[in-house]
Amino acid sequence: MATSFYSSSFKRIKVSGGVVFLSLLTFFNTFAQNNILVFQSDFGLKDGAVSAMKGVAMGVSPDLKLFDITHEIPAYNIWEAAYRLVQTAPYWPTGTVFVSVCDPGVGTERKSVVLLTKSGHYFVTPDNGTLTLIAEQLGIREVREIDEVRNRRRNSNESYTFHGRDVYAFTGARLASKTITYEQIGQKLPNQVVSIPYQKPSFAQGRVQGTIPILDIQYGNVWTDIDKKLFNQLEIKMGDAIQVQVFNGNDKIYEGTVKYVNTFGEVKEGVDVGYFNSLLNFSLGVNMNSFSAKYKVFSGSTWHIILSK
Amino acid sequence: MATSFYSSSFKRIKVSGGVVFLSLLTFFNTFAQNNILVFQSDFGLKDGAVSAMKGVAMGVSPDLKLFDITHEIPAYNIWEAAYRLVQTAPYWPTGTVFVSVCDPGVGTERKSVVLLTKSGHYFVTPDNGTLTLIAEQLGIREVREIDEVRNRRRNSNESYTFHGRDVYAFTGARLASKTITYEQIGQKLPNQVVSIPYQKPSFAQGRVQGTIPILDIQYGNVWTDIDKKLFNQLEIKMGDAIQVQVFNGNDKIYEGTVKYVNTFGEVKEGVDVGYFNSLLNFSLGVNMNSFSAKYKVFSGSTWHIILSK
Amino acid sequence: MATSFYSSSFKRIKVSGGVVFLSLLTFFNTFAQNNILVFQSDFGLKDGAVSAMKGVAMGVSPDLKLFDITHEIPAYNIWEAAYRLVQTAPYWPTGTVFVSVCDPGVGTERKSVVLLTKSGHYFVTPDNGTLTLIAEQLGIREVREIDEVRNRRRNSNESYTFHGRDVYAFTGARLASKTITYEQIGQKLPNQVVSIPYQKPSFAQGRVQGTIPILDIQYGNVWTDIDKKLFNQLEIKMGDAIQVQVFNGNDKIYEGTVKYVNTFGEVKEGVDVGYFNSLLNFSLGVNMNSFSAKYKVFSGSTWHIILSK
């Protein structure tokens, strides 16, 4: 029960013999760390915090390849940290190690963990809700708690406020470079993570309801959590009109009609459209303009959307 | 005619024999992709779009070295994307592959191309004007259209709005890592690119006219497209005064005198100067201050400048 | 006197024989450049300046690993450039080469230097105050002036305003990749750097006085230069109140009481705290809020703080 993924697999190897051995090796390879370490935080890029984390990582192993998701997560916004992981991690190779540091509770009793997903990606982070969406989308293979006695930068015990540098970057780097195995992270925890509750999208009586988890900030598009399968129950054809209502809590912020398109270029500038974004979720946009700015529609757990024919 | 640069070179090899063979090999080497992939976009750094592109690239080959020009191109500003390529690409080694994604027409009929310049740099981009300046400065050796059937991330056909990730990053990564040859990009096109029309600078009757293609944003300096050769026709000596007029369309925004210097430190703080910038184009600045903010001078195709003695 | 660190060490080797030879080799190894090149500047990320520097570096050696501290140093703010080096450099491995370009005096008589610290880190920069804090913290082993005749990008003599690209990135890359030795940088200078004067923190009559060199921008925390040893002379226990006064010049901006904690999570949201930051300096914060914004406290040489029991 409490044995790790690796060791239980090894047991199976002993039982199974040659051919299985080979296919399991392939399996291991697939899940092996690949020297790629990807950082995300709410630190911003104006000071040296991100660089200190990367310096620590290069001190662990100069063979690591360091990348970023973003460091512009709004301060303390765990939900957005969770969303950015889902938006990007699936596009990185199996074995990639992610370090996510949005940690308003640094130094308190929240656990420091490493999630290994069924897809073979690793996530090093405080277990404070950051893993809500990625655990759901990629599946939990195993969760381990970081043993902060063994897995902590030397001489960093006096520092209480920068676990990103002293624990997470250090541990992520040691894991990605195979300086330690996944088992050496620390003890295995139950297969669950701390989750931020959110309303799942649904279809009923000819209407699809969903939430607006995030904006496509740069262009002002409005992203929902309604996927294509759900949307298709509305039986709206490409090019047809979609009735849209957007609420913030109980206040109706927007009511209108958008055209269902594949891509913006199908309509003239300034036309409102509904389309499926790069994560294949239903979204609202305006060709060459910002839907969010035009209609004062924003995102967060209080923002809801209703679609109908 | 339709044969590629590589294959036509090979033909010459067969004709020419040993010594030439070696020198052509050197030539090939010079033009070979070098595992360096440089990204530019108008995505911003606040979300995960850039990271998704890099994840795709690392999935193609973990040996790639990934860099950036900027991702802060103002949304849809193709002209600025074009300018940033010219400002940076010549400083990167021959063989470097650039992926530029400023793509307001994503999903429409604009072509996706890879330009190989005479200098041996590759540019993967929608052919929407982004190549205007780089084609002019580095010269067109060959243009190929990306065959989006073969050169597209697997299972990405449902996604219509993120060719940066699904086509350009994927194809750029395959090219830079030599997973495919330049020929395998797709069919050869005529040696031309879509160009944004712009007024060339000129000298007449003791005056040099030019445009203000861009600001040196961080410091507020005003960059023109007037090079040293043109400027020298004014026969103004270092340290002398330059008469300057700046127009936005027909409105005169600024008229004044600046001192011709090599560098800002030659004058006191607050003094207006004319100098040649790091691209060796004539520019206006104020020592320790912003010329743009001081005189409300900005940039774009409607902004003109006249210099005289 | 003017002999270099390396050559003087070699002399000692000749005198000392086998065993010492080996340990010195180890010593050399520790100090050897490690192919890691870390950039910092006040260029911002909106244009191509940083990318041009990195292109030049990759042209010197594709084996280099390029990283950043930040490029968001406020324009011309040498003090902040100095602070960011101290905040980050100690976390990078020995042998790392840093290129810092905050250079309001570009093209004037300020010297271009490479500092080798006692810790074995290299700093390539104009000697304009940027080295104030790092020289103090890591110690000066040797300073050399960049010989700009030999150590300058080819054909860059016409460019007077971008030494970051033409001299510093080029030289840093050649040093980090061992294309040149430290001695080949140029002539040895006296063991000193240009320093920005600043008030050192002190304890007297039951009060600790210090300055506010910088803000923790992203979160609005206020960082001082008061370390734990100095603070401990106040004999304030964890959990107790600290009396705080903040002055900008002679104006008292804030007077109040904060709770001494290890980390923010120990108090409720909105509570003011005093704590030791990730550099182990005394700092002021508000749990889940900005101390700076709440009390209009900012940073710089005119900002002082007094702590008492």
Side-chain angles (χ1 to χ4, degrees), chain A residues 16-40:
Chain A
S16 315
V19 175
V20 176
F21 182 78
L22 268 173
S23 73
L24 274 169
L25 266 188
T26 310
F27 184 66
F28 275 123
N29 242 349
T30 314
F31 278 76
Q33 301 94 313
N34 57 15
N35 265 327
I36 299 177
L37 188 58
V38 183
F39 291 93
Q40 157 172 294

PDB file of all heavy atoms in Angstrom, chain A residues 16-40:
ATOM      1  N   SER A  16       7.512 -11.398 -13.358  1.00  0.00           N
ATOM      2  CA  SER A  16       7.012 -11.522 -14.720  1.00  0.00           C
ATOM      3  C   SER A  16       8.005 -12.026 -15.768  1.00  0.00           C
ATOM      4  O   SER A  16       7.594 -12.516 -16.804  1.00  0.00           O
ATOM      5  CB  SER A  16       6.500 -10.153 -15.203  1.00  0.00           C
ATOM      6  OG  SER A  16       5.714  -9.556 -14.201  1.00  0.00           O
ATOM      7  N   GLY A  17       9.286 -11.867 -15.529  1.00  0.00           N
ATOM      8  CA  GLY A  17      10.266 -12.371 -16.484  1.00  0.00           C
ATOM      9  C   GLY A  17      10.565 -11.426 -17.626  1.00  0.00           C
ATOM     10  O   GLY A  17      10.097 -10.280 -17.678  1.00  0.00           O
ATOM     11  N   GLY A  18      11.341 -11.975 -18.615  1.00  0.00           N
ATOM     12  CA  GLY A  18      12.029 -11.188 -19.643  1.00  0.00           C
ATOM     13  C   GLY A  18      11.230 -10.180 -20.435  1.00  0.00           C
ATOM     14  O   GLY A  18      11.514  -8.994 -20.396  1.00  0.00           O
ATOM     15  N   VAL A  19      10.251 -10.630 -21.141  1.00  0.00           N
ATOM     16  CA  VAL A  19       9.549  -9.749 -22.066  1.00  0.00           C
ATOM     17  C   VAL A  19       8.909  -8.573 -21.324  1.00  0.00           C
ATOM     18  O   VAL A  19       9.042  -7.418 -21.690  1.00  0.00           O
ATOM     19  CB  VAL A  19       8.469 -10.536 -22.841  1.00  0.00           C
ATOM     20  CG1 VAL A  19       7.662  -9.597 -23.702  1.00  0.00           C
ATOM     21  CG2 VAL A  19       9.141 -11.601 -23.686  1.00  0.00           C
ATOM     22  N   VAL A  20       8.243  -8.922 -20.244  1.00  0.00           N
ATOM     23  CA  VAL A  20       7.625  -7.866 -19.451  1.00  0.00           C
ATOM     24  C   VAL A  20       8.681  -6.909 -18.936  1.00  0.00           C
ATOM     25  O   VAL A  20       8.493  -5.709 -18.885  1.00  0.00           O
ATOM     26  CB  VAL A  20       6.829  -8.473 -18.276  1.00  0.00           C
ATOM     27  CG1 VAL A  20       6.281  -7.375 -17.391  1.00  0.00           C
ATOM     28  CG2 VAL A  20       5.720  -9.346 -18.821  1.00  0.00           C
ATOM     29  N   PHE A  21       9.835  -7.467 -18.558  1.00  0.00           N
ATOM     30  CA  PHE A  21      10.929  -6.659 -18.060  1.00  0.00           C
ATOM     31  C   PHE A  21      11.249  -5.527 -19.043  1.00  0.00           C
ATOM     32  O   PHE A  21      11.348  -4.377 -18.685  1.00  0.00           O
ATOM     33  CB  PHE A  21      12.160  -7.542 -17.858  1.00  0.00           C
ATOM     34  CG  PHE A  21      13.336  -6.792 -17.306  1.00  0.00           C
ATOM     35  CD1 PHE A  21      13.403  -6.464 -15.957  1.00  0.00           C
ATOM     36  CD2 PHE A  21      14.365  -6.391 -18.141  1.00  0.00           C
ATOM     37  CE1 PHE A  21      14.489  -5.765 -15.450  1.00  0.00           C
ATOM     38  CE2 PHE A  21      15.453  -5.694 -17.635  1.00  0.00           C
ATOM     39  CZ  PHE A  21      15.513  -5.383 -16.289  1.00  0.00           C
ATOM     40  N   LEU A  22      11.350  -5.928 -20.323  1.00  0.00           N
ATOM     41  CA  LEU A  22      11.679  -4.936 -21.337  1.00  0.00           C
ATOM     42  C   LEU A  22      10.600  -3.874 -21.453  1.00  0.00           C
ATOM     43  O   LEU A  22      10.886  -2.680 -21.472  1.00  0.00           O
ATOM     44  CB  LEU A  22      11.845  -5.620 -22.699  1.00  0.00           C
ATOM     45  CG  LEU A  22      13.279  -6.046 -23.003  1.00  0.00           C
ATOM     46  CD1 LEU A  22      13.309  -6.841 -24.276  1.00  0.00           C
ATOM     47  CD2 LEU A  22      14.200  -4.834 -23.064  1.00  0.00           C
ATOM     48  N   SER A  23       9.368  -4.316 -21.501  1.00  0.00           N
ATOM     49  CA  SER A  23       8.304  -3.333 -21.696  1.00  0.00           C
ATOM     50  C   SER A  23       8.191  -2.421 -20.478  1.00  0.00           C
ATOM     51  O   SER A  23       7.878  -1.255 -20.573  1.00  0.00           O
ATOM     52  CB  SER A  23       6.966  -4.022 -21.967  1.00  0.00           C
ATOM     53  OG  SER A  23       6.477  -4.589 -20.786  1.00  0.00           O
ATOM     54  N   LEU A  24       8.524  -2.976 -19.295  1.00  0.00           N
ATOM     55  CA  LEU A  24       8.510  -2.117 -18.107  1.00  0.00           C
ATOM     56  C   LEU A  24       9.650  -1.112 -18.153  1.00  0.00           C
ATOM     57  O   LEU A  24       9.522   0.018 -17.716  1.00  0.00           O
ATOM     58  CB  LEU A  24       8.590  -2.958 -16.830  1.00  0.00           C
ATOM     59  CG  LEU A  24       7.220  -3.445 -16.349  1.00  0.00           C
ATOM     60  CD1 LEU A  24       7.389  -4.484 -15.262  1.00  0.00           C
ATOM     61  CD2 LEU A  24       6.390  -2.266 -15.843  1.00  0.00           C
ATOM     62  N   LEU A  25      10.792  -1.553 -18.710  1.00  0.00           N
ATOM     63  CA  LEU A  25      11.906  -0.624 -18.848  1.00  0.00           C
ATOM     64  C   LEU A  25      11.484   0.573 -19.694  1.00  0.00           C
ATOM     65  O   LEU A  25      11.770   1.724 -19.372  1.00  0.00           O
ATOM     66  CB  LEU A  25      13.101  -1.308 -19.500  1.00  0.00           C
ATOM     67  CG  LEU A  25      14.126  -1.890 -18.525  1.00  0.00           C
ATOM     68  CD1 LEU A  25      15.346  -2.353 -19.289  1.00  0.00           C
ATOM     69  CD2 LEU A  25      14.511  -0.862 -17.457  1.00  0.00           C
ATOM     70  N   THR A  26      10.819   0.269 -20.783  1.00  0.00           N
ATOM     71  CA  THR A  26      10.308   1.336 -21.632  1.00  0.00           C
ATOM     72  C   THR A  26       9.406   2.249 -20.819  1.00  0.00           C
ATOM     73  O   THR A  26       9.491   3.466 -20.838  1.00  0.00           O
ATOM     74  CB  THR A  26       9.484   0.738 -22.789  1.00  0.00           C
ATOM     75  OG1 THR A  26      10.249  -0.278 -23.395  1.00  0.00           O
ATOM     76  CG2 THR A  26       9.123   1.813 -23.787  1.00  0.00           C
ATOM     77  N   PHE A  27       8.567   1.598 -20.038  1.00  0.00           N
ATOM     78  CA  PHE A  27       7.647   2.319 -19.172  1.00  0.00           C
ATOM     79  C   PHE A  27       8.414   3.251 -18.227  1.00  0.00           C
ATOM     80  O   PHE A  27       8.115   4.421 -18.071  1.00  0.00           O
ATOM     81  CB  PHE A  27       6.854   1.278 -18.387  1.00  0.00           C
ATOM     82  CG  PHE A  27       5.794   1.862 -17.515  1.00  0.00           C
ATOM     83  CD1 PHE A  27       4.700   2.513 -18.068  1.00  0.00           C
ATOM     84  CD2 PHE A  27       5.876   1.754 -16.143  1.00  0.00           C
ATOM     85  CE1 PHE A  27       3.706   3.043 -17.263  1.00  0.00           C
ATOM     86  CE2 PHE A  27       4.882   2.278 -15.328  1.00  0.00           C
ATOM     87  CZ  PHE A  27       3.800   2.922 -15.889  1.00  0.00           C
ATOM     88  N   PHE A  28       9.501   2.702 -17.624  1.00  0.00           N
ATOM     89  CA  PHE A  28      10.320   3.515 -16.734  1.00  0.00           C
ATOM     90  C   PHE A  28      10.890   4.704 -17.477  1.00  0.00           C
ATOM     91  O   PHE A  28      10.863   5.823 -17.007  1.00  0.00           O
ATOM     92  CB  PHE A  28      11.495   2.705 -16.189  1.00  0.00           C
ATOM     93  CG  PHE A  28      11.112   1.924 -14.987  1.00  0.00           C
ATOM     94  CD1 PHE A  28      11.264   0.561 -14.953  1.00  0.00           C
ATOM     95  CD2 PHE A  28      10.589   2.577 -13.875  1.00  0.00           C
ATOM     96  CE1 PHE A  28      10.896  -0.161 -13.830  1.00  0.00           C
ATOM     97  CE2 PHE A  28      10.227   1.863 -12.754  1.00  0.00           C
ATOM     98  CZ  PHE A  28      10.370   0.480 -12.733  1.00  0.00           C
ATOM     99  N   ASN A  29      11.423   4.390 -18.635  1.00  0.00           N
ATOM    100  CA  ASN A  29      12.041   5.437 -19.433  1.00  0.00           C
ATOM    101  C   ASN A  29      11.075   6.577 -19.664  1.00  0.00           C
ATOM    102  O   ASN A  29      11.411   7.738 -19.539  1.00  0.00           O
ATOM    103  CB  ASN A  29      12.445   4.845 -20.797  1.00  0.00           C
ATOM    104  CG  ASN A  29      13.950   4.942 -20.948  1.00  0.00           C
ATOM    105  OD1 ASN A  29      14.600   5.606 -20.155  1.00  0.00           O
ATOM    106  ND2 ASN A  29      14.472   4.292 -21.956  1.00  0.00           N
ATOM    107  N   THR A  30       9.872   6.197 -20.000  1.00  0.00           N
ATOM    108  CA  THR A  30       8.850   7.183 -20.261  1.00  0.00           C
ATOM    109  C   THR A  30       8.651   8.096 -19.064  1.00  0.00           C
ATOM    110  O   THR A  30       8.419   9.282 -19.193  1.00  0.00           O
ATOM    111  CB  THR A  30       7.517   6.476 -20.576  1.00  0.00           C
ATOM    112  OG1 THR A  30       7.782   5.429 -21.494  1.00  0.00           O
ATOM    113  CG2 THR A  30       6.512   7.434 -21.160  1.00  0.00           C
ATOM    114  N   PHE A  31       8.759   7.507 -17.888  1.00  0.00           N
ATOM    115  CA  PHE A  31       8.468   8.276 -16.681  1.00  0.00           C
ATOM    116  C   PHE A  31       9.708   8.908 -16.059  1.00  0.00           C
ATOM    117  O   PHE A  31       9.617   9.606 -15.086  1.00  0.00           O
ATOM    118  CB  PHE A  31       7.774   7.377 -15.655  1.00  0.00           C
ATOM    119  CG  PHE A  31       6.308   7.240 -15.923  1.00  0.00           C
ATOM    120  CD1 PHE A  31       5.851   6.421 -16.946  1.00  0.00           C
ATOM    121  CD2 PHE A  31       5.392   7.979 -15.198  1.00  0.00           C
ATOM    122  CE1 PHE A  31       4.498   6.307 -17.209  1.00  0.00           C
ATOM    123  CE2 PHE A  31       4.039   7.879 -15.457  1.00  0.00           C
ATOM    124  CZ  PHE A  31       3.592   7.038 -16.467  1.00  0.00           C
ATOM    125  N   ALA A  32      10.869   8.598 -16.635  1.00  0.00           N
ATOM    126  CA  ALA A  32      12.091   9.097 -16.028  1.00  0.00           C
ATOM    127  C   ALA A  32      12.163  10.609 -16.121  1.00  0.00           C
ATOM    128  O   ALA A  32      11.655  11.212 -17.065  1.00  0.00           O
ATOM    129  CB  ALA A  32      13.303   8.492 -16.726  1.00  0.00           C
ATOM    130  N   GLN A  33      12.774  11.215 -15.154  1.00  0.00           N
ATOM    131  CA  GLN A  33      13.026  12.645 -15.213  1.00  0.00           C
ATOM    132  C   GLN A  33      13.948  12.911 -16.397  1.00  0.00           C
ATOM    133  O   GLN A  33      14.771  12.075 -16.761  1.00  0.00           O
ATOM    134  CB  GLN A  33      13.694  13.115 -13.928  1.00  0.00           C
ATOM    135  CG  GLN A  33      12.894  12.844 -12.676  1.00  0.00           C
ATOM    136  CD  GLN A  33      13.284  11.531 -12.026  1.00  0.00           C
ATOM    137  OE1 GLN A  33      13.404  10.509 -12.703  1.00  0.00           O
ATOM    138  NE2 GLN A  33      13.500  11.565 -10.733  1.00  0.00           N
ATOM    139  N   ASN A  34      13.806  14.094 -16.992  1.00  0.00           N
ATOM    140  CA  ASN A  34      14.504  14.368 -18.250  1.00  0.00           C
ATOM    141  C   ASN A  34      15.418  15.585 -18.178  1.00  0.00           C
ATOM    142  O   ASN A  34      15.728  16.175 -19.205  1.00  0.00           O
ATOM    143  CB  ASN A  34      13.480  14.526 -19.371  1.00  0.00           C
ATOM    144  CG  ASN A  34      12.473  15.622 -19.047  1.00  0.00           C
ATOM    145  OD1 ASN A  34      12.702  16.428 -18.140  1.00  0.00           O
ATOM    146  ND2 ASN A  34      11.381  15.660 -19.779  1.00  0.00           N
ATOM    147  N   ASN A  35      15.808  15.983 -16.979  1.00  0.00           N
ATOM    148  CA  ASN A  35      16.693  17.143 -16.801  1.00  0.00           C
ATOM    149  C   ASN A  35      16.011  18.469 -17.102  1.00  0.00           C
ATOM    150  O   ASN A  35      16.662  19.510 -17.092  1.00  0.00           O
ATOM    151  CB  ASN A  35      17.955  17.020 -17.664  1.00  0.00           C
ATOM    152  CG  ASN A  35      19.120  16.428 -16.881  1.00  0.00           C
ATOM    153  OD1 ASN A  35      19.241  16.655 -15.681  1.00  0.00           O
ATOM    154  ND2 ASN A  35      19.961  15.681 -17.562  1.00  0.00           N
ATOM    155  N   ILE A  36      14.707  18.448 -17.379  1.00  0.00           N
ATOM    156  CA  ILE A  36      13.986  19.693 -17.650  1.00  0.00           C
ATOM    157  C   ILE A  36      13.254  20.131 -16.383  1.00  0.00           C
ATOM    158  O   ILE A  36      12.505  19.358 -15.789  1.00  0.00           O
ATOM    159  CB  ILE A  36      12.977  19.517 -18.797  1.00  0.00           C
ATOM    160  CG1 ILE A  36      13.701  19.132 -20.093  1.00  0.00           C
ATOM    161  CG2 ILE A  36      12.171  20.797 -19.002  1.00  0.00           C
ATOM    162  CD1 ILE A  36      12.763  18.862 -21.264  1.00  0.00           C
ATOM    163  N   LEU A  37      13.514  21.378 -15.984  1.00  0.00           N
ATOM    164  CA  LEU A  37      12.915  21.940 -14.774  1.00  0.00           C
ATOM    165  C   LEU A  37      12.219  23.237 -15.169  1.00  0.00           C
ATOM    166  O   LEU A  37      12.850  24.137 -15.731  1.00  0.00           O
ATOM    167  CB  LEU A  37      14.027  22.195 -13.750  1.00  0.00           C
ATOM    168  CG  LEU A  37      13.643  22.601 -12.328  1.00  0.00           C
ATOM    169  CD1 LEU A  37      12.751  21.551 -11.669  1.00  0.00           C
ATOM    170  CD2 LEU A  37      14.915  22.804 -11.491  1.00  0.00           C
ATOM    171  N   VAL A  38      10.921  23.316 -14.892  1.00  0.00           N
ATOM    172  CA  VAL A  38      10.119  24.461 -15.341  1.00  0.00           C
ATOM    173  C   VAL A  38       9.552  25.186 -14.120  1.00  0.00           C
ATOM    174  O   VAL A  38       8.886  24.570 -13.288  1.00  0.00           O
ATOM    175  CB  VAL A  38       8.963  23.992 -16.252  1.00  0.00           C
ATOM    176  CG1 VAL A  38       8.187  25.181 -16.776  1.00  0.00           C
ATOM    177  CG2 VAL A  38       9.497  23.150 -17.412  1.00  0.00           C
ATOM    178  N   PHE A  39       9.811  26.477 -14.036  1.00  0.00           N
ATOM    179  CA  PHE A  39       9.410  27.270 -12.868  1.00  0.00           C
ATOM    180  C   PHE A  39       8.158  28.103 -13.122  1.00  0.00           C
ATOM    181  O   PHE A  39       7.943  28.611 -14.226  1.00  0.00           O
ATOM    182  CB  PHE A  39      10.533  28.238 -12.479  1.00  0.00           C
ATOM    183  CG  PHE A  39      11.746  27.583 -11.928  1.00  0.00           C
ATOM    184  CD1 PHE A  39      12.802  27.233 -12.753  1.00  0.00           C
ATOM    185  CD2 PHE A  39      11.844  27.317 -10.571  1.00  0.00           C
ATOM    186  CE1 PHE A  39      13.937  26.627 -12.241  1.00  0.00           C
ATOM    187  CE2 PHE A  39      12.977  26.712 -10.049  1.00  0.00           C
ATOM    188  CZ  PHE A  39      14.027  26.366 -10.883  1.00  0.00           C
ATOM    189  N   GLN A  40       7.376  28.277 -12.074  1.00  0.00           N
ATOM    190  CA  GLN A  40       6.253  29.205 -12.086  1.00  0.00           C
ATOM    191  C   GLN A  40       6.160  29.836 -10.696  1.00  0.00           C
ATOM    192  O   GLN A  40       6.419  29.169  -9.694  1.00  0.00           O
ATOM    193  CB  GLN A  40       4.967  28.449 -12.397  1.00  0.00           C
ATOM    194  CG  GLN A  40       3.707  29.134 -11.924  1.00  0.00           C
ATOM    195  CD  GLN A  40       2.447  28.455 -12.424  1.00  0.00           C
ATOM    196  OE1 GLN A  40       2.167  28.444 -13.614  1.00  0.00           O
ATOM    197  NE2 GLN A  40       1.680  27.890 -11.517  1.00  0.00           N
TER     198      GLN A  40
END
